[in-house]
Amino acid sequence: MRSNATAPNDRPAALSYHAVSHSYGRFPAVDSVSLGVDQGEIVCLVGPSGCGKSTLLRLGAGLETLQAGEVRIAGQRVAHSRSSVPPEKRGIGLVFQDYALFPHLSVLDNVAFGLNGDAGRLRRNRARTSLEQVGMGGFSEAFPHTLSGGQQQRVALARALAPEPRVLLLDEPFSGLDARLRAAVRDDTLHVLKANSVATLLVTHDPEEAMFLADRIALMRDGRLEQIGTPVDLYYRPRTPFAAAFFGDVNRSGGQVRGGAVATPFGRLPAPDLPDGVAVDALVRPEGLALTLDGDAASVRGVVDAARVLGSSSLIHLTVLDENGARHHVHSRMPGQFLPPAGSAVSLSVDLKQAFVFPSEEAG
Ligand code: ATP
């Protein structure tokens, strides 16, 4: 398998897209996307259903004919509008949601299948090593139909990694698994990917999964890249209301900037870079709204409608009044068990790291 040697800064990305566009008929599924994945890096493509994630992945694999732009692997052009290297010559591994194992081949033969160039014994040894890496060393002689979904997905991963690809492309690899198994398989997958130092592009619609796996997250919207960055960038420094809302529930409020701040039902939020009079959207994550039962009279007050424990945190539904006396329904998420009875008066304080003010999208 690949070493963990660090790449020199000037090395080309293991996989890169350059102004790639793709339409189905007149519908633009991918619109001028540029994106690079470095050796050893995991980039997760996320976004709502239909935003173009799978199309972008398939263009990288060569499963879709590129219409505009370029795809390069290790700096070599593998696709542009007039020519395309076929998928099997690109040095990529592929893993899909449905595993796509051959039912008539044993687990070992499934994994050995892609190792064409090597002699039989060497192929089988490499396939065994790859199976051991994903914890499936004891299942070589089993047939796919005797395995659980999680085990089949591990075999699919072993098969993709056995030829030591430069790039691994995974399309919703865990979505066929139930929640518990999904958590276990993706944890193992993360360790295997990092141990192999392979450049990975993984499609998921699940923001938490992306944050769990990714070194960087590429958020797509309507065929375009909305924002790309580390999980911390996307979660704590979203550049648009869409990006802020994609990574979890948000409390929203409109407002106008006055003296470098905006009054919201949650309290005053700073807006230092926006001029007076600008209409804004203010968003606060529920986990950015802390409640106290005996708050001081100067803070924003709310009344609890309901509180539910969600496991490691509690979700509290509140009614708060804004400056004009209008009622707003607000969510707060508090760590652990915090379950004030309905009707309790509480004070709200905002964690400004989880509060975002954007010029109103409607204002254009
Ligand atoms: P999902 O999360 O639902 O899988 P996605 O973000 O992966 O969605 P794509 O599968 O890339 O999105 O599809 C992008 C758009 O292109 C969608 O509107 C889809 O309906 C359309 N589309 C995808 N494949 C084809 C096709 N073969 N023919 C026509 N339209 C297609």
Side-chain angles (χ1 to χ4, degrees):
M1 297 284 159
R2 237 168 247 287
S3 78
N4 276 319
T6 7
N9 288 337
D10 56 355
R11 187 152 76 190
L15 168 70
S16 56
Y17 294 85
H18 304 263
V20 163
S21 296
H22 192 83
S23 298
Y24 296 107
R26 298 173 70 121
F27 178 78
V30 172
D31 188 2
S32 200
V33 169
S34 296
L35 167 72
V37 186
D38 288 328
Q39 186 192 332
E41 188 183 32
I42 303 176
V43 174
C44 287
L45 269 180
V46 296
S49 184
C51 70
K53 308 180 292 293
S54 293
T55 302
L56 192 64
L57 190 98
R58 290 168 62 80
L59 288 165
L63 299 172
E64 213 63 73
T65 308
L66 190 68
Q67 297 165 350
E70 271 185 30
V71 177
R72 295 185 200 154
I73 291 183
Q76 302 291 314
R77 194 160 69 170
V78 295
H80 61 111
S81 57
R82 291 177 305 284
S83 84
S84 181
V85 175
E88 65 279 9
K89 299 252 162 67
R90 290 193 182 190
I92 51 167
L94 290 169
V95 180
F96 296 105
Q97 177 187 345
D98 60 4
Y99 326 130
L101 299 177
F102 301 115
H104 59 289
L105 295 183
S106 69
V107 160
L108 188 68
D109 289 340
N110 259 284
V111 177
F113 184 82
L115 301 169
N116 316 338
D118 298 333
R121 187 155 171 188
L122 190 58
R123 282 173 64 192
R124 293 172 78 78
N125 282 344
R126 279 176 59 187
R128 270 197 193 93
T129 306
S130 201
L131 278 169
E132 269 155 26
Q133 244 203 333
V134 299
M136 289 296 289
F139 293 82
S140 295
E141 302 314 318
F143 281 84
H145 72 273
T146 66
L147 304 180
S148 71
Q151 290 170 330
Q152 290 187 45
Q153 194 54 298
R154 286 168 209 262
V155 175
L157 182 63
R159 185 177 61 178
L161 286 171
E164 299 186 27
R166 285 183 289 208
V167 174
L168 194 61
L169 302 171
L170 303 98
D171 195 350
E172 299 274 8
F174 314 115
S175 58
L177 308 175
D178 68 51
R180 235 202 177 125
L181 199 52
R182 190 159 62 229
V185 177
R186 74 183 174 200
D187 189 13
D188 293 345
T189 301
L190 176 63
H191 299 305
V192 171
L193 294 176
K194 285 297 176 189
N196 285 277
S197 195
V198 61
T200 302
L201 186 62
L202 183 147
V203 166
T204 174
H205 63 273
D206 178 350
E208 260 189 51
E209 182 161 294
M211 286 196 273
F212 180 89
L213 289 167
D215 296 306
R216 285 188 303 148
I217 294 176
L219 172 63
M220 289 185 73
R221 178 190 194 183
D222 296 337
R224 291 178 156 264
L225 267 191
E226 178 87 354
Q227 184 170 349
I228 179 160
T230 63
V232 171
D233 288 334
L234 276 277
Y235 194 78
Y236 289 103
R237 294 184 283 276
R239 287 210 289 261
T240 60
F242 175 86
F246 187 78
F247 287 89
D249 187 20
V250 283
N251 296 295
R252 285 173 185 266
S253 162
Q256 253 189 2
V257 177
R258 293 267 173 266
V262 55
T264 74
F266 335 111
R268 280 175 76 74
L269 301 181
D273 303 329
L274 296 172
D276 267 20
V278 168
V280 293
D281 289 324
L283 290 79
V284 179
R285 297 196 191 286
E287 48 274 40
L289 268 188
L291 305 182
T292 41
L293 283 170
D294 302 309
D296 63 84
S299 60
V300 175
R301 308 279 284 175
V303 175
V304 173
D305 296 322
R308 298 280 184 273
V309 72
L310 303 179
S312 61
S313 63
S314 302
L315 188 75
I316 301 95
H317 301 252
L318 303 165
T319 298
V320 295
L321 301 182
D322 67 17
E323 289 185 328
N324 305 315
R327 296 158 70 85
H328 296 266
H329 185 76
V330 169
H331 288 169
S332 159
R333 192 191 273 260
M334 295 283 286
Q337 188 179 331
F338 182 83
L339 300 171
S344 307
V346 288
S347 294
L348 284 69
S349 60
V350 178
D351 170 6
L352 294 179
K353 289 206 298 293
Q354 310 214 48
F356 313 107
V357 177
F358 301 102
S360 169
E361 289 199 321
E362 272 118 56

